[in-house]
């Protein structure tokens, strides 16, 4: 019997879709939702399920940014064949995304026992939500928001890509929050920071989902819950991406900062009173 029912998978897919690209921590919200539904958050099958349904959210990015991705991949392929094409920004950007993914892959493989064990605690999620809020607020205040997407460099990509490690080790910190905050500190504007976060998430999250698929299927999660959670994640994430890009064009990240603090404090309260198991 699957440790996650189809109904629970639909709920978790919706949570994943809404929160994957908002800077509020999809992993943290998934763990909170799992805890409220009585699903063991540190079960290997559950951890694997959470990684797999992220692929639905990534598929939404691929569809939403299809023209951009085709342009970048085409430039990369042309650059591999023709030396004169290698000066094009899109060709360089494709390599930067690849290079910037290496740090999180290396840490993810090396720290897998910690990530799936002690660091999967809801206490860690609560603390990371609050600490990450402070980082996000400071980054938004410090950043001069003067650089656009075409101004990004190899250094930007590596620093922003490496910041994903924070969310990997501390669920609740938020991959989107970490990458957007780093980009803002580097003076990218909010739209450029958000789009860069999206593109850097494609290889990292897709790789994590495919890597965990066999564990999710082989240790207690059925194919039907995985399919349902992934499909719902795709639909909801697509809508979330469209909304976020419109939002950041005109607003600061303060609303997300406040929301994260409220959720973190409430989570600490639920854990301290025993309403949720850590």
């Amino acid at each position: 019997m699957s440790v996650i029912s189809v109904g629970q998978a639909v709920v978790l897919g919706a949570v994943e879709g809404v929160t994957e690209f908002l800077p509020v921590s999809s992993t943290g919200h998934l763990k909170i939702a799992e805890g409220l539904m009585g699903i063991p958050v540190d079960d290997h099958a559950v951890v694997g399920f959470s990684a797999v349904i992220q692929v639905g959210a990534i598929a939404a990015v691929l569809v939403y940014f299809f023209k951009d991705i085709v342009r970048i991949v085409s430039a990369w392929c042309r650059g591999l064949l023709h030396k004169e094409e290698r000066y094009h920004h899109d060709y360089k950007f494709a390599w930067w995304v690849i290079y910037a993914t290496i740090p999180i892959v290396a840490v993810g493989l090396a720290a897998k026992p910690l990530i799936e064990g002690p660091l999967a605690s809801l206490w860690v999620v609560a603390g990371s939500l609050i600490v990450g809020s402070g980082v996000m607020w400071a980054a938004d205040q410090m950043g001069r928001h003067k650089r656009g997407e075409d101004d990004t460099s190899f250094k930007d990509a590596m620093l922003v890509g490496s910041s994903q490690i924070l969310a990997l080790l501390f669920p609740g910190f938020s991959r989107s929050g970490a990458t957007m905050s780093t980009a803002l500190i580097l003076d990218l504007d909010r739209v450029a920071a958000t789009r860069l976060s999206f593109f850097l998430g494609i290889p990292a999250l897709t790789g994590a989902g495919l890597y965990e698929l066999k564990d999710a299927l082989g240790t207690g999660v059925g194919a039907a819950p995985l399919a349902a959670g992934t499909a719902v994640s795709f639909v909801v994430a697509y809508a979330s991406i469209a909304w976020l890009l419109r939002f950041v064009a005109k607003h600061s990240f303060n609303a997300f900062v406040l929301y994260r603090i409220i959720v973190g404090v409430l989570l600490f309260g639920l854990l301290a009173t025993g309403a949720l198991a850590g």
Side-chain angles (χ1 to χ4, degrees):
M1 177 178 287
S2 174
V3 298
I4 297 175
S5 69
V6 172
Q8 291 172 327
V10 168
V11 173
L12 294 175
V15 172
E16 163 64 23
V18 170
T19 61
E20 180 58 57
F21 301 110
L22 302 185
V24 297
S25 176
S26 62
T27 302
H29 279 74
L30 283 173
K31 290 187 181 299
I32 292 170
E34 290 160 1
L36 292 172
M37 289 190 289
I39 300 171
V41 298
D42 57 351
D43 186 292
H44 284 192
V46 176
V47 173
F49 171 85
S50 298
V52 171
I53 64 173
Q54 288 177 337
V55 176
I58 288 300
V61 172
L62 295 176
V63 174
Y64 193 90
F65 292 107
F66 181 74
K67 290 182 180 179
D68 294 300
I69 293 170
V70 169
R71 187 190 76 244
I72 292 168
V73 172
S74 297
W76 184 68
C77 291
R78 290 196 303 271
L80 292 177
L81 297 174
H82 306 289
K83 185 177 180 180
E84 63 273 15
E85 296 287 340
R86 296 173 189 172
Y87 298 98
H88 197 286
H89 183 269
D90 286 340
Y91 171 79
K92 296 177 183 177
F93 185 77
W95 276 116
W96 297 345
V97 170
I98 293 170
Y99 294 144
T101 303
I102 294 173
I104 191 173
V105 171
V107 173
L109 293 174
K112 193 170 188 289
L114 282 175
I115 295 166
E116 295 184 353
L119 294 178
S121 166
L122 286 175
W123 288 101
V124 175
V125 171
S128 299
L129 276 167
I130 294 173
V131 172
S133 298
V135 173
M136 188 181 304
W137 179 84
D140 207 10
Q141 300 302 309
M142 291 167 56
R144 289 179 286 177
H145 315 292
K146 67 176 185 177
R147 300 171 56 209
E149 187 174 349
D150 290 339
D151 298 321
T152 54
S153 65
F154 174 69
K155 175 185 175 182
D156 296 329
M158 289 302 298
L159 289 173
V160 174
S162 297
S163 71
Q164 297 177 109
I165 294 171
L166 287 171
L168 183 67
L169 296 177
F170 305 105
F173 202 96
S174 170
R175 190 200 66 82
S176 295
T179 52
M180 291 177 192
S181 295
T182 303
L184 289 174
I185 291 172
L186 294 169
D187 292 331
L188 270 69
D189 63 46
R190 295 187 184 98
V191 173
T194 302
R195 285 173 60 89
L196 181 58
S197 175
F198 286 151
F199 288 126
L200 287 171
I202 292 172
L205 296 178
T206 301
L210 295 176
Y211 181 79
E212 295 286 356
L213 180 59
K214 59 180 176 57
D215 290 338
L217 286 172
T219 56
V221 178
L226 277 174
T230 304
V232 172
S233 172
F234 168 80
V235 174
V236 177
Y238 189 91
S240 180
I241 292 166
W243 176 84
L244 180 60
L245 286 171
R246 289 195 300 270
F247 180 86
V248 298
K250 298 179 179 180
H251 301 86
S252 72
F253 288 115
N254 288 344
F256 297 117
V257 170
L258 179 61
Y259 172 79
R260 289 169 57 104
I261 292 172
I262 292 172
V263 173
V265 170
L266 287 175
L267 183 54
F268 268 130
L270 291 170
L271 291 169
T273 59
L276 272 180

